[in-house]
Amino acid sequence: MAKTRPGRKDLDSYTIRGTNKIVRAGDCVLMRPSDTSKPPYVARVEKIEQDNRNNVKVRVRWYYRPEESIGGRRQFHGAKELFLSDHYDVQSAHTIEGKCLVHSFKNYTKLENVGAEDYYCRFEYKAATGAFTPDRVAVYCKCEMPYNPDDLMVQCEGCKDWYHPACVGMTIEEAKKLDHFVCSECSSDDDMKKPQATFSASPGADGKVDSKRRKR
């Protein structure tokens, strides 16, 4: 644990200015960017300190949005996806705008309703090199892409694989009306269009297709 500097003291909590919301070490927060046209930064509070002038500082570990990473945003990155980086910083506590929740990918996919304060993280990210941990993820569909929880997918009961509607020649609207689905590989030539499998909205976080190493 980092030592407290002379003239500073550790605080157990900090109340966000203008609110009754209390921040403690371990909480995730939204921090005001210098460019107000950008969305707030997301960080995990590691430590809260106050100096002898009563200025409160927070040591934070930054979350990166996909577009802030070296590889940029990819098709499988969800709108609420974040990467936990190895980039630490010290900021004024006054730049904290609010609190948020960064869920595990598994827990996020189980949410019945996703609120504005809900995010998820499935990768850790090295800011200097652009490397991700883990470097293997489950891939789905003919396109062999990781699961994006924002995208509708349909499951074939025959092979249990999940497919993007567009990858199997369907529109989103057509997929939403399906009661059953069977992929072409599982249907016979005589039986291609008969309903044989149950429709589901999306793969769960535990759904597994052959894991493949992918560049992000």
Side-chain angles (χ1 to χ4, degrees), residues 71 74 76-77 132 135 137 145-146 212-216:
R74 299 283 301 280
F76 62 87
H77 291 140
F132 288 87
D135 64 354
V137 291
M145 294 294 285
K212 297 188 176 181
R213 190 179 298 266
R214 300 195 61 84
K215 294 181 179 177
R216 289 173 287 277

Side-chain angles (χ1 to χ4, degrees), residues 2-14:
K3 294 181 180 179
T4 304
R5 297 177 184 175
R8 295 177 180 267
K9 65 177 181 179
D10 290 343
L11 298 180
D12 291 330
S13 64
Y14 169 77

Side-chain angles (χ1 to χ4, degrees), residues 30-215:
L30 302 170
M31 305 194 76
R32 184 172 60 252
S34 54
D35 183 348
T36 55
S37 66
K38 292 183 178 180
Y41 297 125
V42 183
R44 189 173 73 191
V45 175
E46 301 290 314
K47 190 176 184 180
I48 307 171
E49 290 183 348
Q50 184 179 54
D51 64 19
N52 52 16
R53 296 182 179 180
N54 293 325
N55 296 314
V56 180
K57 301 281 187 180
V58 286
R59 176 173 167 79
V60 298
R61 185 175 180 182
W62 293 114
Y63 284 96
Y64 279 42
R65 289 184 169 83
E67 57 269 24
E68 297 166 339
S69 68
I70 291 175
R73 180 171 285 279
R74 299 283 301 280
Q75 178 183 344
F76 62 87
H77 291 140
K80 306 302 289 289
E81 183 156 9
L82 302 171
F83 309 142
L84 181 60
S85 79
D86 59 350
H87 179 187
Y88 292 83
D89 205 353
V90 176
Q91 295 285 316
S92 168
H94 294 325
T95 62
I96 298 175
E97 293 185 328
K99 296 177 69 174
C100 63
L101 296 170
V102 181
H103 303 272
S104 69
F105 184 59
K106 181 178 180 179
N107 289 343
Y108 182 84
T109 61
K110 294 179 178 179
L111 293 177
E112 291 186 7
N113 297 295
V114 177
E117 74 284 359
D118 290 311
Y119 297 86
Y120 71 90
C121 176
R122 56 179 157 179
F123 297 112
E124 291 195 13
Y125 174 71
K126 291 189 178 297
T129 64
F132 288 87
T133 304
D135 64 354
R136 291 174 183 264
V137 291
V139 294
Y140 301 86
C141 191
K142 295 178 178 180
C143 62
E144 295 191 339
M145 294 294 285
Y147 174 44
N148 180 341
D150 300 337
D151 292 344
L152 178 74
M153 298 187 82
V154 292
Q155 186 182 35
C156 171
E157 192 171 282
C159 59
K160 305 298 183 184
D161 282 358
W162 293 86
Y163 295 89
H164 300 107
C167 294
V168 290
M170 246 188 291
T171 66
I172 297 294
E173 290 70 27
E174 289 170 338
K176 287 180 178 178
K177 294 176 183 178
L178 281 178
D179 291 323
H180 302 277
F181 169 73
V182 62
C183 76
S184 59
E185 293 183 8
C186 290
S187 9
S188 67
D189 292 338
D190 296 332
D191 205 37
M192 184 71 71
K193 295 184 179 179
K194 281 191 179 179
Q196 293 185 8
T198 303
F199 165 76
S200 297
S202 61
D206 292 330
K208 186 176 178 65
V209 177
D210 289 343
S211 294
K212 297 188 176 181
R213 190 179 298 266
R214 300 195 61 84
K215 294 181 179 177

